[in-house]
Amino acid sequence: MENCIFCSIIEGKIPAEKLYEDDKVLAFNDVNSQAPEHFLVIPKEHIATPNDANDEALLGRLSMVASSIAKERGFSEKGYRLVMNCNSDGCQSVFHIHLHCLGGRQLSWPPG
Ligand code: 5GP
Ligand code: ZN
């Protein structure tokens, strides 16, 4: 998708600190980290918002990849948060779905 920053990262046009990649998904560090560990897992297919997602296996894969990276990086036992923002009330700013994984510190709840 043209003018999509995450499609540009997938295509290698914009650099990113990649943590994992396979044929369906890509994971990379968030450029504006909100925690000691903050990465995004995205599908390679352009899907604008969670409202547009209809592939259960693909959505499940995002979550499985996030937890396996958290295990690999050694913060899974202490814990982390997985979140996918949707549209304006959810504060979605990039319209290519992405699962945030935040960890490495005590997070607060509820979120703002
Ligand atoms: P959202 O607010 O849509 O849920 O989250 C978008 C996330 O993408 C933000 O946390 C933001 O820091 C991150 N982000 C935006 N542009 C880039 C980029 O060019 N590279 C990386 N690595 N992260 C980005
Ligand atoms: Zn895209």
Side-chain angles (χ1 to χ4, degrees):
M1 170 76 62
E2 253 180 80
N3 300 322
C4 170
I5 199 154
F6 288 174
C7 282
S8 297
I9 287 175
I10 291 162
E11 289 162 18
K13 292 178 184 161
I14 292 176
E17 291 173 16
K18 293 182 185 178
L19 301 175
Y20 175 83
E21 182 165 17
D22 64 28
D23 56 327
K24 298 251 191 270
V25 310
L26 176 66
F28 52 93
N29 282 325
D30 195 296
V31 79
N32 184 21
S33 190
Q34 300 300 314
E37 299 278 355
H38 184 182
F39 61 83
L40 306 173
V41 189
I42 67 172
K44 288 193 169 174
E45 177 189 349
H46 180 89
I47 300 167
T49 81
N51 293 333
D52 305 304
N54 54 22
D55 184 337
E56 291 178 18
L58 183 59
L59 289 180
R61 189 142 163 182
L62 300 180
S63 175
M64 297 303 291
V65 165
S67 60
S68 74
I69 293 170
K71 285 175 194 160
E72 206 176 272
R73 294 177 70 82
F75 65 93
S76 64
E77 285 303 315
K78 287 201 87 176
Y80 53 89
R81 180 169 301 156
L82 301 180
V83 64
M84 188 179 285
N85 296 326
C86 183
N87 282 337
S88 55
D89 274 7
C91 292
Q92 184 178 4
S93 62
V94 176
F95 288 85
H96 178 134
I97 61 167
H98 45 282
L99 188 64
H100 293 259
C101 180
L102 299 117
R105 68 170 168 83
Q106 178 64 61
L107 300 167
S108 58
W109 191 263

